[in-house]
Amino acid sequence: MVIKLSVENAVQAKAEIEKLESQGFTHDDIYIFAHDPKRTKDITKALDTESVGMKEQGFLDSMKNMTSSRGDELRAKLEASGLTKEEAEEYEEVLDTGKLVIVANKDHS
């Protein structure tokens, strides 16, 4: 089961993550995305959620993202967290507006 949410800020993200945990998701099941890589890193660390890395993407895709645009990288990471290509494109546009995207996926941990 994959749940996708968008929120305005880290305070709202924390509240949504607590709701997801009450539904049985663990921190290992929850990914949070922001358009700015530093913001993603800071929020992921502060809220103790997962970051999409080589484990989820695979080595070759991870290497490819090192030379991709931020939009391409975000879409690839959104797909790696469990979204379809179409959903990844839709949520990457949400990230462009400055919002945060949360993906909870029990099948990935």
Side-chain angles (χ1 to χ4, degrees):
M1 172 201 289
V2 179
I3 295 177
K4 305 153 291 260
L5 307 161
S6 66
V7 296
E8 297 288 334
N9 54 48
V11 173
Q12 289 178 356
K14 184 177 188 316
E16 291 298 335
I17 289 167
E18 288 170 356
K19 287 181 196 172
L20 290 166
E21 290 175 326
S22 72
Q23 296 171 30
F25 288 94
T26 69
H27 284 274
D28 290 341
D29 300 327
I30 302 169
Y31 301 87
I32 191 160
F33 299 90
H35 201 278
D36 176 18
K38 182 176 180 347
R39 187 175 181 209
T40 300
K41 184 179 176 182
D42 291 347
I43 292 171
T44 296
K45 185 176 178 181
L47 298 179
D48 192 27
T49 55
E50 284 297 301
S51 60
V52 174
M54 220 175 290
K55 176 181 85 169
E56 292 82 10
Q57 285 186 281
F59 179 73
L60 293 177
D61 285 338
S62 212
M63 295 303 291
K64 185 176 98 182
N65 279 338
M66 294 176 82
T67 60
S68 300
S69 74
R70 181 65 177 157
D72 291 341
E73 177 186 356
L74 285 167
R75 285 188 295 279
K77 288 184 175 189
L78 286 162
E79 282 184 62
S81 71
L83 273 60
T84 66
K85 182 178 177 73
E86 294 76 21
E87 289 171 329
E89 289 173 5
E90 175 186 335
Y91 281 97
E92 193 268 328
E93 289 178 13
V94 170
L95 291 170
D96 285 343
T97 68
K99 292 184 179 182
L100 302 173
V101 171
I102 300 168
V103 177
N105 187 349
K106 287 188 179 190
D107 297 331
H108 262 246
S109 53

